[in-house]
Amino acid sequence: MAWIAGLFISFSTLPCLPTLTSFHINMVVPTKKAMNQRLASWTLVVGLFVVSCVAELERFEHAGKPDGSLSFLVVGDWGRRGHYNQSQVAFQMGKIGEQLDIDFIISTGDNFYDNGLTGVDDPLFHQSFTDIYTAPSLQKQWYNVLGNHDYRGNAEAQLSPILTKMDNRWLCFRSFVLNAGPEFFFVDTTPFVTKYFTDPEDHVYDWKAILPREKYLNNLLMEVESALGESRAKWKIVVGHHAIKSAGHHGNAKELNIHLLPLLQTYDVDLYINGHDHCLQHISSSDSGTQFMTSGGGSKAWRGDVSWWNPQELKFYHDGQGFMSVEMTPTEVSIKFYDVFGNVLHNWSSSKQLSFAI
């Protein structure tokens, strides 16, 4: 039994029977069923909640409200010491967070600009996070993934429990699963993008835990597919930094369309939430029930370049700062996008019927 940053963690080894989706750097995509792989089983206690997992993805549980409802905010691409309207977005997040009595906040990555953190003692952590998101309603758990800018610094620093000891809101892993009634699958998307390896320009990326890349991505895809396949959640939400579908400056990450999108379609994922493009956006897929939501307006935005997209799919696009809120019950989801002034720019909702075993 080990104590790490407020989490009790015990380890055991049990057999696991996941399916395997292979990643090849040359982008050839065979898929194959793989049986009898032994993966680590983690038992984590977060507060009073216990979760067991037969997979390598860390799992956490976050209790919703007594009536079964859940509300949270999503923001991405934010960490600029309060500049580029980051402080103004944070202020509006605090107001909306109080109105909705939010349970937690999700960050879609690029948490610290321009080059991540230099280490756990980098003052940027306080200057861009602790000292910015000060509203009482934002003193909740933050669930974070890494973006490409985070990999340009010391990526391990953002994963360190030392940061959680300095600010207990902070929780960041490369990939993990969160059960809050709905189930969230956080995926480390940066290593999928080939150009960061073949054409890094003048940037230096922290790939220490990623290489060999093919093995890392094969394992990650297998773990994500296993977790999605085992999920019995009514609502499934996948969170990553890069966009699968986007009309913004960066556009679609082709590698995710090849490797991750089929898993979303196979396992009936309801929402894919990302950042990377510094905008707010909603695309409704014509080939599946998945809704694609971009919340990457946490600070610097206004790129001014938007690509044409089928208007039947592109439900909303805002080339500016802001964030989104999500309210959920066992049968309904309601999403709103807000600008830097707290105005509601777009809303979308959906419902499902409860199913009962007979």
Side-chain angles (χ1 to χ4, degrees), residues 138-212:
L138 303 182
Q139 307 309 301
K140 304 290 178 68
Q141 187 70 63
W142 283 60
Y143 295 102
N144 308 275
V145 291
L146 298 174
N148 54 298
H149 282 268
D150 300 311
Y151 268 102
R152 294 179 187 174
N154 184 339
E156 295 286 344
Q158 293 194 45
L159 312 179
S160 173
I162 295 175
L163 294 189
T164 306
K165 291 180 180 178
M166 291 192 290
D167 190 323
N168 61 14
R169 296 177 293 171
W170 185 262
L171 190 147
C172 185
F173 287 83
R174 296 183 196 275
S175 301
F176 60 100
V177 178
L178 172 67
N179 181 7
E183 205 152 31
F184 299 79
F185 306 84
F186 293 76
V187 180
D188 183 20
T189 61
T190 300
F192 283 92
V193 182
T194 300
K195 70 177 182 179
Y196 299 143
F197 295 84
T198 60
D199 186 22
E201 299 176 339
D202 295 327
H203 305 300
V204 177
Y205 290 88
D206 181 8
W207 299 132
K208 289 192 298 293
I210 305 304
L211 301 177

Coordinates of all heavy atoms in Angstrom, one line a residue, residues 138-212:
L138 N -14.4 27.5 -8.1 CA -13.3 26.8 -8.9 C -12.4 26.0 -8.0 O -11.4 25.4 -8.5 CB -12.6 27.7 -9.8 CG -13.4 28.5 -10.8 CD1 -12.5 29.4 -11.6 CD2 -14.3 27.6 -11.6
Q139 N -12.6 26.0 -6.7 CA -11.8 25.3 -5.7 C -12.3 23.8 -5.7 O -12.5 23.3 -4.6 CB -11.8 26.0 -4.4 CG -11.5 27.4 -4.4 CD -10.2 27.7 -5.1 OE1 -9.1 27.2 -4.8 NE2 -10.3 28.6 -6.1
K140 N -12.4 23.3 -6.8 CA -12.9 21.9 -6.9 C -11.8 21.1 -7.6 O -10.8 21.6 -8.1 CB -14.2 21.8 -7.8 CG -15.3 22.7 -7.2 CD -15.9 22.1 -5.9 CE -17.0 22.9 -5.4 NZ -18.2 22.9 -6.2
Q141 N -12.0 19.8 -7.8 CA -11.0 19.0 -8.5 C -10.9 19.4 -9.9 O -11.9 19.6 -10.6 CB -11.4 17.5 -8.4 CG -10.3 16.5 -8.9 CD -9.1 16.5 -8.0 OE1 -9.2 16.1 -6.9 NE2 -8.0 16.9 -8.5
W142 N -9.6 19.5 -10.4 CA -9.3 19.7 -11.8 C -8.8 18.4 -12.4 O -7.8 17.9 -11.9 CB -8.3 20.9 -12.0 CG -8.9 22.2 -11.9 CD1 -9.5 22.8 -10.7 CD2 -8.9 23.3 -12.8 NE1 -9.9 24.1 -11.0 CE2 -9.5 24.4 -12.3 CE3 -8.4 23.4 -14.2 CZ2 -9.7 25.6 -12.9 CZ3 -8.6 24.6 -14.8 CH2 -9.2 25.7 -14.2
Y143 N -9.4 18.0 -13.5 CA -8.9 16.8 -14.2 C -8.2 17.3 -15.5 O -8.9 17.8 -16.3 CB -10.0 15.8 -14.5 CG -10.6 15.2 -13.2 CD1 -11.8 15.7 -12.7 CD2 -10.0 14.2 -12.5 CE1 -12.4 15.2 -11.5 CE2 -10.5 13.7 -11.3 CZ -11.7 14.2 -10.9 OH -12.3 13.7 -9.7
N144 N -6.9 17.0 -15.6 CA -6.1 17.6 -16.7 C -5.5 16.6 -17.6 O -5.0 15.5 -17.1 CB -5.0 18.5 -16.1 CG -5.5 19.5 -15.1 OD1 -6.0 20.6 -15.5 ND2 -5.5 19.2 -13.8
V145 N -5.4 16.9 -18.9 CA -4.5 16.1 -19.8 C -3.5 17.0 -20.3 O -3.5 18.2 -20.2 CB -5.4 15.5 -20.9 CG1 -6.3 14.4 -20.4 CG2 -6.1 16.6 -21.7
L146 N -2.4 16.4 -20.9 CA -1.3 17.2 -21.5 C -1.6 17.5 -22.9 O -2.2 16.8 -23.7 CB 0.0 16.3 -21.5 CG 0.5 15.9 -20.1 CD1 1.7 15.0 -20.2 CD2 0.8 17.1 -19.2
G147 N -1.2 18.7 -23.3 CA -1.2 19.1 -24.7 C 0.2 19.2 -25.3 O 1.2 18.9 -24.6
N148 N 0.3 19.5 -26.6 CA 1.6 19.5 -27.2 C 2.5 20.5 -26.6 O 3.7 20.3 -26.5 CB 1.5 19.8 -28.7 CG 0.7 21.0 -29.1 OD1 -0.5 21.1 -28.7 ND2 1.3 22.0 -29.7
H149 N 2.0 21.7 -26.2 CA 2.9 22.7 -25.5 C 3.4 22.1 -24.2 O 4.5 22.5 -23.8 CB 2.2 24.0 -25.3 CG 2.1 24.8 -26.6 ND1 3.0 25.8 -26.9 CD2 1.2 24.8 -27.6 CE1 2.7 26.3 -28.1 NE2 1.6 25.8 -28.5
D150 N 2.6 21.3 -23.5 CA 3.1 20.8 -22.2 C 4.2 19.8 -22.4 O 5.1 19.7 -21.6 CB 1.9 20.1 -21.5 CG 0.7 21.0 -21.3 OD1 1.0 22.1 -20.7 OD2 -0.4 20.7 -21.6
Y151 N 4.2 19.1 -23.6 CA 5.3 18.2 -23.9 C 6.6 18.9 -24.3 O 7.7 18.3 -24.4 CB 4.9 17.2 -25.0 CG 4.3 15.9 -24.5 CD1 2.9 15.7 -24.5 CD2 5.1 14.9 -24.0 CE1 2.3 14.5 -24.1 CE2 4.5 13.7 -23.6 CZ 3.2 13.5 -23.6 OH 2.6 12.4 -23.2
R152 N 6.5 20.2 -24.5 CA 7.7 21.0 -24.9 C 8.5 21.3 -23.6 O 9.6 21.8 -23.7 CB 7.4 22.2 -25.6 CG 6.8 22.0 -27.0 CD 6.4 23.3 -27.7 NE 5.7 23.0 -29.0 CZ 5.2 24.0 -29.7 NH1 5.3 25.3 -29.3 NH2 4.5 23.7 -30.8
G153 N 7.9 21.1 -22.5 CA 8.7 21.3 -21.2 C 8.9 20.0 -20.5 O 9.1 18.9 -21.2
N154 N 9.0 20.0 -19.2 CA 9.1 18.8 -18.5 C 7.7 18.2 -18.2 O 7.0 18.6 -17.3 CB 9.8 19.1 -17.1 CG 10.1 17.9 -16.3 OD1 9.5 16.8 -16.5 ND2 11.0 18.0 -15.4
A155 N 7.3 17.3 -19.1 CA 6.0 16.7 -19.0 C 5.8 16.0 -17.7 O 4.7 16.0 -17.1 CB 5.7 15.7 -20.2
E156 N 6.8 15.3 -17.2 CA 6.7 14.6 -16.0 C 6.3 15.5 -14.8 O 5.7 15.1 -13.8 CB 8.0 13.8 -15.7 CG 8.4 12.7 -16.7 CD 7.5 11.5 -16.5 OE1 6.9 11.4 -15.4 OE2 7.5 10.7 -17.4
A157 N 6.8 16.7 -14.9 CA 6.5 17.7 -13.8 C 5.0 17.8 -13.5 O 4.5 17.9 -12.4 CB 7.1 19.0 -14.0
Q158 N 4.2 17.9 -14.6 CA 2.8 18.1 -14.5 C 2.1 16.9 -13.9 O 1.0 16.9 -13.4 CB 2.1 18.5 -15.8 CG 2.6 19.9 -16.3 CD 1.7 20.4 -17.4 OE1 0.5 20.3 -17.4 NE2 2.3 20.9 -18.5
L159 N 2.8 15.7 -14.1 CA 2.2 14.5 -13.6 C 2.6 14.2 -12.1 O 2.1 13.3 -11.5 CB 2.7 13.3 -14.4 CG 2.5 13.4 -15.9 CD1 3.1 12.2 -16.6 CD2 1.1 13.7 -16.3
S160 N 3.5 15.0 -11.6 CA 4.1 14.8 -10.3 C 3.1 15.1 -9.1 O 2.4 16.1 -9.1 CB 5.3 15.7 -10.1 OG 5.8 15.6 -8.7
P161 N 3.0 14.2 -8.1 CA 2.2 14.4 -6.9 C 2.7 15.6 -6.1 O 1.9 16.1 -5.3 CB 2.3 13.1 -6.1 CG 3.6 12.5 -6.6 CD 3.7 12.9 -8.1
I162 N 3.9 16.1 -6.4 CA 4.3 17.3 -5.7 C 3.4 18.5 -6.0 O 3.1 19.4 -5.2 CB 5.8 17.6 -6.1 CG1 6.7 16.5 -5.6 CG2 6.2 19.0 -5.5 CD1 8.2 16.6 -6.0
L163 N 3.0 18.6 -7.3 CA 2.1 19.7 -7.7 C 0.8 19.6 -6.9 O 0.2 20.6 -6.5 CB 1.8 19.7 -9.2 CG 3.0 20.1 -10.1 CD1 2.5 20.3 -11.5 CD2 3.8 21.3 -9.6
T164 N 0.3 18.4 -6.8 CA -1.0 18.2 -6.0 C -0.8 18.5 -4.6 O -1.8 19.0 -3.9 CB -1.4 16.7 -6.2 OG1 -1.5 16.3 -7.5 CG2 -2.8 16.5 -5.5
K165 N 0.4 18.3 -4.0 CA 0.6 18.8 -2.6 C 0.6 20.3 -2.5 O 0.2 20.9 -1.5 CB 1.9 18.2 -2.1 CG 1.9 16.7 -1.9 CD 3.2 16.2 -1.4 CE 3.2 14.7 -1.2 NZ 4.5 14.1 -0.7
M166 N 1.1 21.0 -3.6 CA 1.1 22.4 -3.6 C -0.3 23.0 -3.8 O -0.6 24.0 -3.3 CB 2.1 22.9 -4.6 CG 3.5 22.6 -4.3 SD 4.7 23.5 -5.3 CE 4.5 22.7 -6.9
D167 N -1.1 22.3 -4.6 CA -2.5 22.8 -4.9 C -3.3 21.5 -5.1 O -3.2 20.8 -6.1 CB -2.5 23.6 -6.1 CG -3.9 24.3 -6.3 OD1 -4.9 23.7 -6.0 OD2 -3.9 25.5 -6.8
N168 N -4.1 21.1 -4.1 CA -4.8 19.8 -4.1 C -5.9 19.7 -5.1 O -6.5 18.7 -5.3 CB -5.3 19.5 -2.7 CG -6.4 20.5 -2.2 OD1 -6.9 21.3 -3.0 ND2 -6.7 20.5 -0.9
R169 N -6.1 20.8 -5.9 CA -7.1 20.7 -7.0 C -6.5 19.9 -8.2 O -7.2 19.4 -9.0 CB -7.5 22.1 -7.5 CG -8.3 22.9 -6.4 CD -8.6 24.3 -7.0 NE -7.4 25.1 -7.1 CZ -7.4 26.3 -7.8 NH1 -8.5 26.8 -8.3 NH2 -6.2 27.0 -7.9
W170 N -5.2 19.9 -8.3 CA -4.5 19.5 -9.5 C -4.4 18.0 -9.6 O -3.9 17.3 -8.7 CB -3.1 20.1 -9.5 CG -2.4 19.8 -10.8 CD1 -1.4 18.8 -11.0 CD2 -2.5 20.5 -12.1 NE1 -1.0 18.8 -12.3 CE2 -1.6 19.9 -13.0 CE3 -3.3 21.6 -12.5 CZ2 -1.5 20.3 -14.3 CZ3 -3.1 22.0 -13.8 CH2 -2.2 21.4 -14.7
L171 N -4.9 17.4 -10.7 CA -4.7 16.0 -11.0 C -4.5 15.8 -12.4 O -5.3 16.2 -13.3 CB -5.9 15.2 -10.5 CG -5.7 13.6 -10.6 CD1 -6.5 13.0 -9.5 CD2 -6.1 13.1 -11.9
C172 N -3.3 15.3 -12.8 CA -2.9 15.2 -14.2 C -2.3 13.9 -14.5 O -1.3 13.5 -13.7 CB -2.0 16.3 -14.6 SG -1.6 16.4 -16.4
F173 N -2.8 13.1 -15.4 CA -2.2 11.9 -15.9 C -2.2 11.9 -17.4 O -2.9 12.7 -18.0 CB -3.0 10.6 -15.4 CG -2.8 10.3 -13.9 CD1 -3.6 11.0 -13.0 CD2 -1.9 9.4 -13.5 CE1 -3.4 10.8 -11.6 CE2 -1.7 9.1 -12.2 CZ -2.5 9.8 -11.2
R174 N -1.3 11.1 -18.0 CA -1.3 11.0 -19.5 C -2.6 10.5 -20.0 O -3.2 11.1 -20.9 CB -0.2 10.1 -19.9 CG 1.2 10.6 -19.6 CD 2.3 9.7 -20.2 NE 3.6 10.0 -19.5 CZ 4.4 10.9 -19.9 NH1 4.1 11.7 -20.9 NH2 5.6 11.1 -19.2
S175 N -3.1 9.4 -19.4 CA -4.4 8.9 -19.8 C -5.0 8.2 -18.6 O -4.3 7.6 -17.8 CB -4.3 7.8 -20.9 OG -3.7 8.4 -22.1
F176 N -6.3 8.4 -18.4 CA -7.0 7.8 -17.3 C -8.5 7.7 -17.5 O -9.0 8.3 -18.5 CB -6.7 8.5 -16.0 CG -7.1 10.0 -16.0 CD1 -8.2 10.4 -15.3 CD2 -6.3 11.0 -16.6 CE1 -8.6 11.8 -15.3 CE2 -6.6 12.3 -16.5 CZ -7.8 12.7 -15.9
V177 N -9.2 7.1 -16.6 CA -10.6 6.9 -16.6 C -11.2 7.6 -15.4 O -10.7 7.3 -14.3 CB -11.1 5.5 -16.7 CG1 -12.6 5.3 -16.7 CG2 -10.5 4.8 -18.0
L178 N -12.3 8.3 -15.5 CA -13.0 8.9 -14.4 C -14.5 8.4 -14.5 O -15.2 8.6 -15.5 CB -13.0 10.4 -14.5 CG -13.8 11.2 -13.5 CD1 -13.3 11.0 -12.1 CD2 -13.9 12.7 -13.9
N179 N -14.9 7.8 -13.4 CA -16.3 7.4 -13.3 C -17.0 8.4 -12.4 O -16.7 8.5 -11.2 CB -16.4 6.0 -12.7 CG -17.9 5.6 -12.5 OD1 -18.8 6.2 -13.0 ND2 -18.1 4.4 -11.9
A180 N -17.9 9.2 -12.9 CA -18.7 10.2 -12.2 C -20.2 9.9 -12.4 O -21.0 10.9 -12.3 CB -18.3 11.6 -12.5
G181 N -20.6 8.7 -12.7 CA -21.9 8.4 -13.2 C -21.8 8.2 -14.7 O -21.7 7.0 -15.2
P182 N -21.7 9.3 -15.4 CA -21.1 9.2 -16.8 C -19.6 8.8 -16.7 O -19.0 9.0 -15.6 CB -21.2 10.6 -17.3 CG -22.2 11.3 -16.4 CD -22.1 10.7 -15.1
E183 N -19.1 8.1 -17.7 CA -17.7 7.7 -17.6 C -16.9 8.5 -18.6 O -17.3 8.7 -19.8 CB -17.6 6.2 -17.9 CG -16.3 5.6 -17.3 CD -16.5 4.1 -17.0 OE1 -17.3 3.4 -17.7 OE2 -15.9 3.7 -16.0
F184 N -15.7 9.0 -18.1 CA -14.9 9.9 -18.9 C -13.6 9.1 -19.2 O -13.0 8.5 -18.3 CB -14.5 11.2 -18.2 CG -15.7 12.0 -17.8 CD1 -16.6 11.7 -16.7 CD2 -16.0 13.1 -18.6 CE1 -17.6 12.5 -16.4 CE2 -17.1 13.9 -18.3 CZ -17.9 13.6 -17.2
F185 N -13.1 9.2 -20.4 CA -11.9 8.5 -20.9 C -10.9 9.6 -21.4 O -11.1 10.1 -22.5 CB -12.2 7.5 -21.9 CG -13.3 6.5 -21.5 CD1 -14.6 6.8 -21.7 CD2 -12.9 5.3 -21.0 CE1 -15.6 5.9 -21.3 CE2 -13.9 4.4 -20.6 CZ -15.3 4.7 -20.7
F186 N -9.9 9.9 -20.6 CA -8.9 10.9 -20.9 C -7.8 10.2 -21.7 O -7.2 9.3 -21.2 CB -8.4 11.6 -19.7 CG -9.5 12.4 -18.9 CD1 -10.4 11.8 -18.1 CD2 -9.4 13.8 -19.0 CE1 -11.4 12.6 -17.5 CE2 -10.4 14.6 -18.3 CZ -11.3 14.0 -17.6
V187 N -7.5 10.8 -22.9 CA -6.5 10.1 -23.8 C -5.4 11.1 -24.1 O -5.6 12.2 -24.5 CB -7.2 9.7 -25.1 CG1 -6.2 9.0 -26.0 CG2 -8.4 8.7 -24.7
D188 N -4.2 10.6 -24.0 CA -3.0 11.3 -24.3 C -2.8 11.4 -25.8 O -2.3 10.4 -26.4 CB -1.8 10.6 -23.6 CG -0.5 11.4 -23.8 OD1 -0.5 12.6 -24.1 OD2 0.6 10.7 -23.7
T189 N -3.2 12.5 -26.5 CA -3.3 12.5 -27.9 C -2.0 13.0 -28.6 O -1.7 12.7 -29.8 CB -4.4 13.4 -28.4 OG1 -4.2 14.7 -28.0 CG2 -5.8 12.8 -28.0
T190 N -1.2 13.7 -27.9 CA 0.0 14.3 -28.5 C 1.0 13.3 -29.2 O 1.4 13.5 -30.3 CB 0.8 15.2 -27.5 OG1 -0.1 16.2 -27.0 CG2 2.0 15.8 -28.1
P191 N 1.2 12.2 -28.5 CA 2.2 11.2 -29.2 C 1.6 10.6 -30.5 O 2.4 10.0 -31.2 CB 2.3 10.1 -28.1 CG 2.1 10.8 -26.8 CD 1.0 11.8 -27.1
F192 N 0.3 10.8 -30.7 CA -0.2 10.3 -32.0 C 0.2 11.1 -33.2 O 0.3 10.6 -34.3 CB -1.7 10.3 -32.0 CG -2.4 9.1 -31.2 CD1 -2.7 9.3 -29.8 CD2 -2.6 7.9 -31.8 CE1 -3.2 8.3 -29.1 CE2 -3.2 6.9 -31.1 CZ -3.5 7.1 -29.7
V193 N 0.5 12.4 -33.0 CA 0.8 13.3 -34.1 C 2.2 13.2 -34.6 O 3.2 13.5 -33.9 CB 0.5 14.8 -33.6 CG1 0.7 15.7 -34.8 CG2 -0.9 14.9 -33.0
T194 N 2.3 12.7 -35.8 CA 3.6 12.3 -36.4 C 4.5 13.5 -36.5 O 5.7 13.4 -36.3 CB 3.4 11.6 -37.7 OG1 2.6 10.4 -37.5 CG2 4.7 11.2 -38.4
K195 N 4.0 14.6 -36.9 CA 4.9 15.8 -37.2 C 5.7 16.2 -36.0 O 6.8 16.8 -36.2 CB 4.0 16.9 -37.8 CG 3.2 17.6 -36.8 CD 2.4 18.8 -37.4 CE 1.6 19.6 -36.4 NZ 0.9 20.7 -37.0
Y196 N 5.2 16.0 -34.8 CA 6.0 16.4 -33.6 C 7.3 15.6 -33.5 O 8.3 16.0 -32.9 CB 5.2 16.2 -32.3 CG 3.9 17.0 -32.3 CD1 2.8 16.5 -31.7 CD2 3.9 18.3 -32.8 CE1 1.6 17.3 -31.6 CE2 2.7 19.0 -32.7 CZ 1.6 18.5 -32.1 OH 0.4 19.3 -32.0
F197 N 7.3 14.4 -34.2 CA 8.5 13.5 -34.2 C 9.3 13.8 -35.4 O 10.6 13.8 -35.3 CB 8.1 12.1 -34.1 CG 7.4 11.7 -32.8 CD1 6.0 11.9 -32.6 CD2 8.1 11.1 -31.8 CE1 5.4 11.6 -31.4 CE2 7.5 10.8 -30.6 CZ 6.1 11.0 -30.4
T198 N 8.7 13.9 -36.6 CA 9.4 14.0 -37.8 C 9.8 15.5 -38.2 O 10.8 15.7 -38.9 CB 8.6 13.4 -39.0 OG1 7.4 14.2 -39.1 CG2 8.3 12.0 -38.7
D199 N 9.0 16.4 -37.7 CA 9.3 17.8 -38.1 C 9.0 18.7 -36.9 O 8.1 19.5 -36.9 CB 8.4 18.3 -39.3 CG 8.8 19.7 -39.7 OD1 9.9 20.1 -39.5 OD2 7.9 20.3 -40.4
P200 N 9.8 18.6 -35.8 CA 9.6 19.4 -34.6 C 9.9 20.8 -34.7 O 9.7 21.6 -33.7 CB 10.5 18.7 -33.5 CG 11.6 18.1 -34.3 CD 11.0 17.7 -35.7
E201 N 10.4 21.3 -35.8 CA 10.8 22.7 -36.0 C 11.9 23.0 -35.0 O 12.9 22.3 -34.9 CB 9.6 23.6 -35.9 CG 8.6 23.3 -37.0 CD 7.3 24.2 -36.9 OE1 7.1 24.7 -35.8 OE2 6.6 24.3 -37.9
D202 N 11.8 24.0 -34.2 CA 12.8 24.4 -33.2 C 12.4 23.9 -31.8 O 13.1 24.3 -30.9 CB 13.0 25.9 -33.2 CG 13.6 26.4 -34.5 OD1 14.3 25.7 -35.2 OD2 13.2 27.6 -34.9
H203 N 11.4 23.1 -31.7 CA 10.9 22.7 -30.4 C 11.6 21.4 -30.0 O 11.9 20.5 -30.8 CB 9.4 22.5 -30.4 CG 8.7 23.7 -30.9 ND1 8.8 25.0 -30.3 CD2 7.8 23.9 -32.0 CE1 8.0 25.8 -31.0 NE2 7.5 25.2 -32.0
V204 N 11.7 21.3 -28.7 CA 12.3 20.0 -28.1 C 11.2 19.4 -27.2 O 10.6 20.1 -26.3 CB 13.5 20.3 -27.2 CG1 14.0 19.0 -26.6 CG2 14.6 20.9 -28.1
Y205 N 10.8 18.2 -27.5 CA 9.7 17.5 -26.8 C 10.2 16.5 -25.8 O 11.3 15.9 -26.0 CB 8.8 16.8 -27.8 CG 8.0 17.8 -28.7 CD1 8.5 18.2 -29.9 CD2 6.7 18.2 -28.3 CE1 7.7 19.1 -30.7 CE2 5.9 19.0 -29.1 CZ 6.5 19.5 -30.3 OH 5.7 20.4 -31.1
D206 N 9.5 16.4 -24.7 CA 9.9 15.5 -23.7 C 9.3 14.1 -23.9 O 8.2 13.8 -23.5 CB 9.4 16.0 -22.3 CG 9.8 15.1 -21.1 OD1 10.6 14.2 -21.4 OD2 9.3 15.4 -20.0
W207 N 10.0 13.3 -24.7 CA 9.4 12.0 -25.1 C 10.0 10.8 -24.2 O 9.9 9.7 -24.6 CB 9.8 11.7 -26.5 CG 9.2 12.6 -27.6 CD1 9.9 13.1 -28.6 CD2 7.9 13.0 -27.7 NE1 9.1 13.9 -29.4 CE2 7.8 13.9 -28.9 CE3 6.7 12.8 -27.0 CZ2 6.7 14.5 -29.3 CZ3 5.5 13.5 -27.4 CH2 5.5 14.3 -28.6
K208 N 10.6 11.1 -23.1 CA 11.2 10.1 -22.3 C 10.3 8.9 -22.0 O 10.8 7.8 -22.1 CB 11.7 10.7 -20.9 CG 12.9 11.7 -21.1 CD 13.5 12.0 -19.7 CE 12.5 12.7 -18.8 NZ 12.1 14.0 -19.2
A209 N 9.1 9.1 -21.6 CA 8.2 8.0 -21.3 C 7.4 7.5 -22.5 O 6.6 6.6 -22.3 CB 7.2 8.5 -20.2
I210 N 7.6 8.1 -23.7 CA 6.8 7.7 -24.8 C 7.6 6.8 -25.7 O 7.0 5.9 -26.4 CB 6.5 9.0 -25.6 CG1 5.8 10.0 -24.7 CG2 5.6 8.7 -26.8 CD1 4.5 9.5 -24.1
L211 N 8.9 6.9 -25.8 CA 9.7 6.0 -26.7 C 9.9 4.6 -26.1 O 10.1 4.5 -24.9 CB 11.0 6.7 -27.0 CG 10.9 8.1 -27.7 CD1 12.3 8.7 -27.9 CD2 10.1 8.0 -29.0
P212 N 9.8 3.6 -26.9 CA 9.5 3.6 -28.3 C 8.0 3.9 -28.6 O 7.2 3.3 -28.0 CB 9.9 2.2 -28.8 CG 9.8 1.3 -27.6 CD 10.1 2.2 -26.4

